[in-house]
Amino acid sequence: MTPGVLILIVLAMTIVGFILGRRRAVAMANREKVKLHSLPGYYGQTVALFVAVPAYVLLAAWLFLQPIVIENHISDLIPASAIPEGGARSLVMADVRRIANGLDYVVGKGGVSEDELASMRADISNIRSRLADVGIALGSDVKPVVFQAAKTYRKIGKTGSLLRDIAVLAAALGFGLWALWRVNPRMRARNTSETFVKALLIASSSVAILTTLGILLSLLFESIHFFRIYPARDFFFSTVWNPQFRGGSDLGILPLLWGTFYVSFVALLLAVPIGLMIAIYLAEYSGSTLRSFAKPAIEILAGIPTIVYGLFALVTVGPFLRDWIAQPFGIGNSSSSVMTAGLVMGIMLIPFVSSLSDDIINAVPQAMRDGSYGLGATQSETIKRVILPAALPGIVGAVLLAASRAIGETMIVVMGAGAAARLNLNPFEAMTTVTVKIVSQLTGDTEFASPETLVAFALGLTLFVFTLGLNILALYIVRKYREQYE
Amino acid sequence: MNEMTETATEAAVNAAASNRSVKMRGDKVGVFYGEKQALFDVDLDIYEHEVTALIGPSGCGKSTFLRCLNRMNDTIDGCRVTGKLTLDSENIYDPKIDVVELRARVGMVFQKPNPFPKSIFENIAYGPRIHGLVKSKGDLDEVVAISLQKAGLFEEVKDRLNEPGTGLSGGQQQRLCIARAIAVSPEVILMDEPCSALDPIATAKVEELIDELRENYTIVIVTHSMQQAARVSQRTAMFHLGNLVEVDATDVIFTNPSDPKTQDYITGRYG
Ligand SMILES: Nc1ncnc2c1ncn2[C@@H]1O[C@H](COP(=O)(O)OP(=O)(O)OP(=O)(O)O)[C@@H](O)[C@H]1O
Ligand SMILES: [Mg+2]
């Protein structure tokens, strides 16, 4: 039985459980002539939940754990001698898995029967060519141990799946019958189902939180790993970024941070004033018709994938800046530059700033405006002296959120800013950012355990700390501002 | 034309009777919110140095009329005013009129106290600053102090002028808003249910204040409290479903109204 079929069967059992539970509650209430504590549906729901939840949880756990257990077991079967020179055990294990899958496939197509397969031996029959026939390409001839391991892998896997099916169905049936047996009119089915719903919601939110935590921990562990083989002082304070394939690299973060902040600064310099003016116009001046067009139109900008902005930077803005500004004034020759990436990123951030600020300006009570107009203030005086001061904390929060987006942005800088790690003031020079280097360090050909690769995690962690700090600050400010009118 | 002079003479007679001159005059004022007409042909005179009360059941157009008097309706999308409204016989809906200056001459106090989220001092200094009424910091201090005194708030807040205006009690906030309006030296002050958010003691203070302010200003007040209208106003105008039902001296309205609707309303039979 495949897991899919199993899921469907449990689902069917759940429905049956619901019907039986409901019916039993009603029948008992009629027989004993008492009033049901809850609506009949709740009894059905309780039974259904007891059928479904333990069975599905068990299934999920099994699907997750079985491969790990089998893998460990098989891995022990392969002697060190079967592992080729310079290769890794994991590579041999990958072969085992592929051969096992291939065998499944051959058997499934009826090319070989199970009995035939059991007596097949790698040293006699040509496994490699048979597998190649069904589209499984192997790098070398199959070693007998590996073939045996693959056969064992299949066998254990089969037994495991069978056990899984039995266990899951037993859980569904067992818990379901138990719940059905417990049904009686006085049972507080409504409260039981309430508890279940609450547990479900808590479980969902913990998925999100645990994932975040997991990401953070893996970042942290890899970073610690990195700092074991590369001095933290050099990483944080060196001004040279010069990774080498053969080791002995300089991995100073400062030029990258400088690039990140420079590009973000240019972006915010463009996005904040324009976004703010758009927000003020939309919130205070535009009529409702124009607003209903303009606001979604501007927000479409936010829906454009950043890779498209990157293209725009690469083919339009970059060459334009180079040909019309940088070269005529003799301040640069590169089409990738801080200016290119910054301007394009600024355009990307405009709707972000404008839509957040627009909401914040709209949240300033109409009474404030009335008060100001009633004293004979003009619209711009009202905006300048009443609305903006009242909305300022919220706007600062919006700008900080935009800044944290700018710092984390990758695609636009990859395509617009270049790859040269430089500490330079000239915005028409190519520079690079933390995010760009994370990409290039991980997509390189270097060994995974080398500092050149692991540095990506340390860079990621640094970036994470920065954006987290900015986000917390922004949320704090926004929340503080909210309290003002409550 | 002939009709115009007739109403004018009639008004003059009225004015002579109460010994006051007309400060603002509405002549066939109609207001539309989009397609919907909220006010129909209202002819109403506001006399100088008097308190005029606007009463009537909810939704009858009192606030709408009040907001016409300083063109606050301009800030509402789709609101249109017809007819003629004058301030010192100048049509305030004339395109040549500067709305900003008009609102400085005709100040407004709102139903809910709405101090700016600034200090008490800044709240009052706001108007004089934007209109350039003061030359020096000393002048400004003086204007603030005088306005607070006129609003009867000075003694309560003189030591905390730099604290936020939003930190005052509701009644104090409302008097702060009155002080804020006074600070720009308006000629007319419009008040839309200024006491509806206040307790009886704060209400009594504001009513007392309104009575004092009558010396120097012309006041129009919207109220749902018959007692309040009777206590503070000299003239009362009764609105119903967007029409002006009748307007007369307050004691006449309350003792001997000519329209049965007024009679019903002030005796609490509806509204
Ligand atoms: N901004 C607006 N848009 C559309 N219609 C409005 C608007 N303001 C008021 N109206 C309508 O105009 C009519 C008069 O409203 P107005 O606010 O003047 O009543 P009111 O006499 O002040 O009532 P209340 O005593 O409840 O304050 C009402 O029917 C109301 O629905
Ligand atoms: Mg009103």
Side-chain angles (χ1 to χ4, degrees):
Chain A
M1 231 183 290
T2 63
V5 176
L6 198 58
I7 288 172
L8 286 181
I9 292 179
V10 174
L11 192 65
M13 288 171 73
T14 308
I15 294 170
V16 173
F18 179 87
I19 297 169
L20 289 181
R22 188 178 191 282
R23 201 179 278 170
R24 182 168 148 88
V26 174
M28 281 178 82
N30 283 343
R31 191 157 17 114
E32 297 175 22
K33 306 238 180 316
V34 288
K35 202 173 154 288
L36 282 174
H37 170 271
S38 317
L39 290 174
Y42 279 115
Y43 295 90
Q45 206 176 326
T46 305
V47 176
L49 285 169
F50 272 100
V51 173
V53 175
Y56 284 138
V57 170
L58 182 66
L59 179 61
W62 201 297
L63 285 176
F64 181 70
L65 289 175
Q66 177 170 326
I68 298 176
V69 173
I70 294 182
E71 202 108 321
N72 277 336
H73 183 73
I74 300 292
S75 172
D76 290 344
L77 290 182
I78 298 175
S81 59
I83 295 166
E85 194 80 11
R89 183 167 285 267
S90 62
L91 290 179
V92 180
M93 281 307 297
D95 265 353
V96 170
R97 266 195 309 271
R98 292 176 62 198
I99 295 169
N101 285 340
L103 291 177
D104 279 345
Y105 192 65
V106 174
V107 172
K109 284 210 341 188
V112 191
S113 75
E114 287 287 350
D115 295 337
E116 246 181 293
L117 187 64
S119 56
M120 225 172 3
R121 281 177 52 192
D123 39 355
I124 303 172
S125 32
N126 190 352
I127 307 288
R128 190 178 172 194
S129 70
R130 292 196 86 153
L131 287 180
D133 286 345
V134 295
I136 312 274
L138 291 175
S140 58
D141 274 335
V142 181
K143 292 212 178 81
V145 261
V146 174
F147 186 61
Q148 276 311 319
K151 285 210 282 190
T152 322
Y153 183 96
R154 283 192 71 220
K155 214 166 84 207
I156 304 181
K158 269 215 175 118
T159 329
S161 301
L162 188 67
L163 282 178
R164 177 195 69 201
D165 294 350
I166 294 171
V168 169
L169 291 180
L173 207 61
F175 278 101
L177 286 176
W178 180 68
L180 195 60
W181 171 73
R182 276 200 348 148
V183 165
N184 73 65
R186 275 168 303 282
M187 179 182 153
R188 298 185 178 168
R190 204 173 159 203
N191 308 23
T192 315
S193 95
E194 190 65 28
T195 316
F196 255 110
V197 169
K198 201 165 108 193
L200 188 72
L201 297 180
I202 291 175
S204 318
S205 32
S206 37
V207 167
I209 293 168
L210 289 179
T211 320
T212 316
L213 209 64
I215 292 174
L216 189 60
L217 283 181
S218 87
L219 259 185
L220 203 62
F221 285 132
E222 299 291 355
S223 301
I224 289 172
H225 198 161
F226 169 72
F227 287 123
R228 283 223 189 89
I229 49 182
Y230 192 87
R233 214 174 45 118
D234 286 359
F235 175 71
F236 284 115
F237 299 110
S238 159
T239 57
V240 182
W241 174 270
N242 184 21
Q244 304 282 327
F245 285 118
R246 294 262 159 258
S249 319
D250 292 308
L251 301 171
I253 195 176
L254 286 182
L256 310 185
L257 276 183
W258 168 248
T260 296
F261 287 122
Y262 204 176
V263 172
S264 306
F265 177 74
V266 172
L268 290 176
L269 215 56
L270 178 74
V272 171
I274 294 185
L276 212 53
M277 284 192 265
I278 292 175
I280 291 173
Y281 177 72
L282 284 183
E284 298 293 319
Y285 285 92
S286 74
S288 54
T289 354
L290 179 70
R291 185 185 155 87
S292 66
F293 279 114
K295 202 168 183 217
I298 292 167
E299 276 163 6
I300 283 176
L301 273 180
I304 298 177
T306 53
I307 184 84
V308 176
Y309 283 107
L311 276 176
F312 179 55
L314 191 69
V315 288
T316 314
V317 178
F320 174 85
L321 287 179
R322 181 193 57 202
D323 297 343
W324 293 91
I325 297 178
Q327 278 177 342
F329 291 95
I331 44 181
N333 279 314
S334 161
S335 72
S336 318
S337 66
V338 168
M339 230 17 169
T340 308
L343 290 183
V344 174
M345 198 194 286
I347 294 171
M348 179 197 81
L349 290 178
I350 286 173
F352 199 72
V353 175
S354 77
S355 134
L356 279 175
S357 313
D358 177 60
D359 291 344
I360 290 159
I361 291 174
N362 263 323
V364 175
Q366 182 62 30
M368 297 293 117
R369 299 182 178 88
D370 285 346
S372 177
Y373 294 142
L375 288 169
T378 63
Q379 204 161 7
S380 66
E381 283 163 352
T382 304
I383 291 166
K384 205 167 63 201
R385 291 168 180 258
V386 176
I387 295 176
L388 285 185
L392 192 65
I395 291 173
V396 171
V399 169
L400 288 183
L401 283 178
S404 84
R405 268 205 72 170
I407 289 175
E409 172 51 39
T410 310
M411 234 45 238
I412 293 174
V413 277
V414 165
M415 298 173 83
R422 275 202 199 105
L423 270 169
N424 198 326
L425 267 180
N426 181 356
F428 290 96
E429 291 261 12
M431 274 176 226
T432 196
T433 66
V434 178
T435 49
V436 171
K437 283 304 160 192
I438 293 179
V439 174
S440 63
Q441 290 314 106
L442 283 179
T443 49
D445 265 344
T446 40
E447 219 182 308
F448 193 76
S450 69
E452 284 74 25
T453 309
L454 286 175
V455 70
F457 292 97
L459 291 175
L461 189 67
T462 316
L463 210 55
F464 178 79
V465 169
F466 269 109
T467 48
L468 185 72
L470 275 180
N471 274 314
I472 290 176
L473 189 66
L475 286 178
Y476 170 78
I477 290 175
V478 170
R479 184 164 314 158
K480 209 168 158 192
Y481 152 79
R482 284 238 174 84
E483 285 163 0
Q484 216 174 332
Y485 293 116
E486 267 163 14
Chain B
M1 199 59 225
N2 200 13
E3 201 181 297
M4 275 292 301
T5 28
E6 222 173 273
T7 32
T9 25
E10 197 184 305
V13 171
N14 274 341
S18 63
N19 234 345
R20 309 269 191 207
S21 55
V22 174
K23 184 71 187 172
M24 297 191 80
R25 161 167 298 168
D27 187 7
K28 296 210 178 339
V29 177
V31 178
F32 295 82
Y33 290 112
E35 291 298 299
K36 186 173 155 272
Q37 188 161 9
L39 218 53
F40 303 85
D41 294 337
V42 173
D43 296 319
L44 181 60
D45 291 347
I46 314 282
Y47 292 89
E48 203 162 24
H49 301 304
E50 266 192 10
V51 177
T52 305
L54 310 183
I55 62 170
S58 189
C60 65
K62 307 178 294 291
S63 301
T64 302
F65 181 75
L66 195 71
R67 292 166 63 92
C68 289
L69 296 175
N70 70 345
R71 293 185 56 178
M72 277 301 277
N73 282 335
D74 291 13
T75 62
I76 296 174
D77 262 355
C79 181
R80 195 157 50 83
V81 178
T82 59
K84 197 174 157 199
L85 260 165
T86 58
L87 171 65
D88 291 340
S89 27
E90 211 180 343
N91 184 3
I92 61 172
Y93 279 88
D94 190 317
K96 286 201 293 283
I97 281 282
D98 178 7
V99 188
V100 169
E101 194 206 309
L102 169 72
R103 292 197 189 130
R105 290 174 67 192
V106 184
M108 190 155 197
V109 175
F110 298 83
Q111 179 170 355
K112 239 182 97 198
N114 59 348
F116 301 129
K118 299 171 183 282
S119 71
I120 294 172
F121 183 91
E122 285 300 321
N123 260 285
I124 296 174
Y126 184 81
R129 279 222 179 99
I130 54 175
H131 293 295
L133 298 181
V134 284
K135 298 277 169 293
S136 65
K137 176 80 171 85
D139 285 358
L140 188 62
D141 288 348
E142 201 182 313
V143 169
V144 169
I146 290 175
S147 307
L148 281 170
Q149 267 155 4
K150 282 191 189 159
L153 191 61
F154 188 69
E155 288 305 316
E156 288 161 67
V157 301
K158 63 179 179 214
D159 301 324
R160 42 195 282 212
L161 289 178
N162 289 320
E163 285 170 33
T166 42
L168 296 174
S169 79
Q172 289 173 325
Q173 285 187 15
Q174 195 59 301
R175 279 180 285 148
L176 178 66
C177 292
I178 294 175
R180 187 174 71 179
I182 293 172
V184 290
S185 315
E187 298 158 33
V188 182
I189 302 177
L190 311 175
M191 299 183 175
D192 195 347
E193 303 180 39
C195 301
S196 67
L198 307 184
D199 70 53
I201 294 171
T203 302
K205 277 197 177 155
V206 173
E207 283 179 4
E208 208 175 297
L209 170 62
I210 292 171
D211 205 46
E212 285 164 19
L213 291 175
R214 179 161 60 92
E215 290 291 321
N216 302 309
Y217 307 94
T218 302
I219 294 173
V220 186
I221 179 173
V222 171
T223 177
H224 276 287
S225 154
M226 295 306 108
Q227 292 89 328
Q228 184 167 67
R231 277 194 299 264
V232 302
S233 74
Q234 284 72 53
R235 282 169 70 81
T236 298
M238 163 77 192
F239 283 75
H240 184 248
L241 294 178
N243 292 294
L244 177 64
V245 175
E246 67 171 304
V247 52
D248 214 325
T250 298
D251 40 8
V252 175
I253 292 275
F254 279 91
T255 51
N256 188 19
S258 53
D259 196 293
K261 286 200 209 83
T262 315
Q263 175 75 37
D264 286 352
Y265 184 68
I266 58 178
T267 52
R269 231 163 288 168
Y270 68 88

